[in-house]
Amino acid sequence: MLGTDAPRVRAGATGTRSLGRLDWSTWPKYEAAAAGFRDYWYPVTWSRKVGRKPIQVMAIGETIMLIREAGVVRALHDRCPHRGVPLSHQLATQEFPGTWTCCYHGWTFDLESGTLVAAITDGPDSPICGKVAVRTYPVAERFGIVWVYVGDGDPPPVESDIPSELLAPDAVVCGRITRRPGDWRFGAENGFDEGHAKFLHRKSLWAWRTELPVWIQIHMEQRDGWLTRVSDKVHWTQEYPGLGTWPPYKAPWRRRGKRGPTVGIRLPGILRVAYRGWDHYEWWVPQGAGDHHYIQLAGTRARGLRALWFRLYYWTIVRWIFHGQFNDQDALMVDVMDAPPERLYRPDKAIIAWRELCETDAREPATRSASTEGPDRPTAAQGAA
Ligand code: FES
Ligand SMILES: [Fe+2]
């Protein structure tokens, strides 16, 4: 646990550095994770978007084709090993059940294994068949979202990367998926950032009924698998010597919350904000260089009329003024941030704790063998066959 007055953090094994003079090399694993952390399940799209016509999605820098065959979603690396045409190209077709055919020369891949089962334009005895395969990805569907495991080796159960309350039989989940410019780590740090909400969002619609504190003294705790910001003391109004009182006014209709929502973060980049009666979640799924998918979910546990009421509340209010206007203010910041270098201040102990968590807890990438070096396997048959 980091203390409330701990503006110094571990820097290697030898000592501490001033909080304001850190650079990202303090967290080499985190610094290297520009494309995200491998060996996790990532949410990639809504189940309803995946049908018999393939779509292309991205997760941590890998381009993936999704297609539904006989009710099961299959995921293949979206690049034909022959000459690199996307398998999901609009001209591509299904020529045989259980397969998908590249539109350029007719290489045909088994959807389940990724193996090349026919090179149509080389005849039925084409010697390359069975010697090339396109990479496939483990896929799962949970509460209307498609999850893809991007990593090496055997995946853990998808449940290990989804907050357990969302998997409850009476869970009600609504949400919004958008593509946002900006490094996914800026998105994650913004989500868990202690200092910004009470300033940046002060005039947002979501906060119109609520008085926001000026500042909060916090410490970090591990709670239930989440690195959690815990409030120690909330300051609602403050005198700044030589400057005056801030904020200068209080809107009379605004009510003080007690401590605000509880905010937690976990790997590979999931935020949970616990409100009264429901939770907000967000994932930052790295796409290409410098942008990410921002997946926002609102979840509660309810049945019948209460479940209907929650959906109504989401679609009429939360979606527009929280998942929309409020978090779009964050998107503007994430887009323009330019760090490092950076000079951190006391509330950034939350960000530091997140970076340290990544450093210590991110799953180690399995050692890659030569046959899995690239997204496709194996490579030996290419060329002479
Ligand atoms: S590029 Fe796909 S078959 Fe040639
Ligand atoms: Fe925010």
Side-chain angles (χ1 to χ4, degrees):
M1 179 176 110
L2 299 175
T4 52
D5 57 350
R8 301 173 83 82
V9 294
R10 175 180 57 79
T14 53
T16 59
R17 290 193 213 183
S18 150
L19 184 101
R21 299 201 183 278
L22 299 171
D23 63 54
W24 285 24
S25 64
T26 306
W27 305 279
K29 205 163 167 182
Y30 189 65
E31 185 180 40
F37 289 113
R38 294 181 69 79
D39 298 347
Y40 287 91
W41 288 89
Y42 285 94
V44 291
T45 190
W46 299 106
S47 288
R48 64 174 181 271
K49 302 241 180 198
V50 187
R52 299 192 53 134
K53 193 111 185 99
I55 62 166
Q56 185 185 77
V57 295
M58 276 191 90
I60 64 168
E62 297 199 14
T63 312
I64 298 166
M65 178 189 108
L66 296 179
I67 189 170
R68 191 180 296 277
E69 167 82 3
V72 178
V73 179
R74 304 288 184 194
L76 278 67
H77 180 224
D78 196 10
R79 181 185 179 279
C80 178
H82 179 215
R83 303 298 304 281
V85 166
L87 292 172
S88 67
H89 193 281
Q90 58 180 350
L91 296 180
T93 51
Q94 184 169 59
E95 300 299 326
F96 305 99
T99 69
W100 189 252
T101 297
C102 176
C103 62
Y104 200 6
H105 308 91
W107 282 30
T108 298
F109 301 92
D110 179 73
L111 281 173
E112 188 175 351
S113 67
T115 304
L116 179 71
V117 290
I120 292 176
T121 51
D122 192 28
D125 66 341
S126 175
I128 200 168
C129 289
K131 294 178 183 159
V132 174
V134 68
R135 182 184 181 126
T136 58
Y137 298 82
V139 188
E141 290 183 272
R142 294 290 185 279
F143 51 87
I145 286 186
V146 178
W147 302 78
V148 173
Y149 179 77
V150 188
D152 309 293
D154 291 332
V158 66
E159 289 77 14
S160 57
D161 289 338
I162 302 177
S164 56
E165 59 273 22
L166 290 174
L167 297 164
D170 59 348
V172 185
V173 184
C174 309
R176 181 176 185 242
I177 300 178
T178 47
R179 190 162 180 151
R180 297 204 313 191
D183 190 304
W184 76 273
R185 292 167 296 185
F186 293 160
E189 292 176 356
N190 170 80
F192 198 51
D193 175 308
E194 162 59 29
H196 84 276
K198 51 189 77 58
F199 198 85
L200 175 70
H201 299 310
R202 191 160 278 266
K203 292 181 182 154
S204 68
L205 276 173
W206 185 244
W208 81 277
R209 251 173 12 112
T210 315
E211 184 183 351
L212 296 177
V214 176
W215 67 292
I216 302 178
Q217 288 164 278
I218 54 161
H219 70 271
M220 301 296 138
E221 281 181 16
Q222 271 291 346
R223 283 187 183 174
D224 209 14
W226 296 84
L227 173 66
T228 304
R229 279 183 358 219
V230 181
S231 301
D232 294 316
K233 190 162 186 204
V234 182
H235 303 266
W236 295 99
T237 180
Q238 199 72 65
E239 185 68 21
Y240 288 84
L243 297 171
T245 304
W246 202 88
Y249 61 90
K250 176 187 179 313
W253 63 85
R254 287 195 161 153
R255 287 190 317 211
R256 253 174 213 187
K258 278 200 181 120
R259 288 184 174 262
T262 303
V263 182
I265 196 168
R266 58 182 263 195
L267 282 155
I270 315 172
L271 189 81
R272 180 176 69 181
V273 183
Y275 288 101
R276 221 174 47 192
W278 65 283
D279 295 324
H280 160 79
Y281 299 86
E282 48 191 83
W283 275 255
W284 313 278
V285 182
Q287 301 288 291
D291 69 347
H292 58 281
H293 260 181
Y294 184 45
I295 290 162
Q296 300 183 83
L297 301 180
T300 192
R301 296 183 61 177
R303 292 188 195 275
L305 270 183
R306 282 193 54 234
L308 194 64
W309 178 249
F310 180 73
R311 287 186 192 283
L312 196 66
Y313 174 56
Y314 178 77
W315 281 95
T316 54
I317 296 178
V318 175
R319 184 177 183 82
W320 312 108
I321 68 170
F322 182 47
H323 282 183
Q325 193 240 359
F326 184 91
N327 284 338
D328 285 351
Q329 292 179 324
D330 296 306
L332 293 173
M333 298 300 104
V334 170
D335 184 17
V336 298
M337 283 172 69
D338 180 19
E342 58 192 6
R343 291 295 303 264
L344 302 183
Y345 76 145
R346 197 163 47 177
D348 290 330
K349 66 177 70 167
I351 290 173
I352 288 171
W354 154 246
R355 291 177 183 174
E356 299 215 327
L357 178 77
C358 293
E359 214 53 32
T360 55
D361 285 23
R363 291 174 192 155
E364 294 290 343
T367 308
R368 292 191 190 191
S369 66
S371 65
T372 57
E373 189 69 35
D376 305 315
R377 64 183 168 75
T379 54
Q382 291 181 355

